[in-house]
Amino acid sequence: QVQLVESGGGLVQPGGFLRLSCAASETAFSIGAMGWYRQAPGKERELVARISSGGTINYADSVKGRFTISRDNAKNTVYLQMNSLKPEDTAVYYCNNVYSPVRWGQGTQVTVSS
């Protein structure tokens, strides 16, 4: 059963923006915080933003002030608005439940390059 479907990635120039979406199953979405993660080539997966069911938000220092996470509880969907993108933001982006993770989705590729 597919529980996480990420979309919205693409190729963008430095300084550009993208909006990622993650459609989650009720199982994945309903309990606790949802997070956006990314994995760059040769690096470990890292958590870049998370949002609790009550709306408490935390960001990694590397994206603070540029990325905005939000969630639509009625749609079981979490979003990541990414502005002022940098080449170092290039990675595959994933979402998952932060404290009760389910099987990872395929992710969505974000490439920031001129």
Side-chain angles (χ1 to χ4, degrees):
Q1 178 185 2
V2 176
Q3 300 202 60
L4 298 165
V5 180
E6 300 92 348
S7 62
L11 172 63
V12 63
Q13 293 186 343
F17 62 92
L18 287 172
R19 187 185 191 223
L20 307 184
S21 298
C22 169
S25 68
E26 183 72 22
T27 301
F29 192 87
S30 62
I31 301 173
M34 289 294 293
W36 278 99
Y37 300 76
R38 67 185 181 188
Q39 187 167 20
K43 295 187 177 181
E44 294 191 354
R45 189 173 292 163
E46 63 170 340
L47 178 65
V48 297
R50 65 180 178 181
I51 182 168
S52 73
S53 55
T56 301
I57 291 172
N58 300 97
Y59 297 102
D61 287 343
S62 58
V63 306
K64 200 171 293 184
R66 301 187 298 120
F67 290 10
T68 302
I69 189 171
S70 60
R71 63 191 288 166
D72 184 334
N73 292 333
K75 296 181 179 180
N76 288 356
T77 300
V78 61
Y79 304 97
L80 187 67
Q81 178 68 42
M82 306 188 296
N83 298 330
S84 303
L85 283 162
K86 304 176 180 180
E88 51 263 44
D89 295 318
T90 295
V92 180
Y93 284 71
Y94 304 86
C95 67
N96 211 328
N97 188 292
V98 175
Y99 300 112
S100 300
V102 299
R103 186 172 65 183
W104 293 92
Q106 292 187 330
T108 185
Q109 175 71 49
V110 172
T111 303
V112 185
S113 175
S114 55

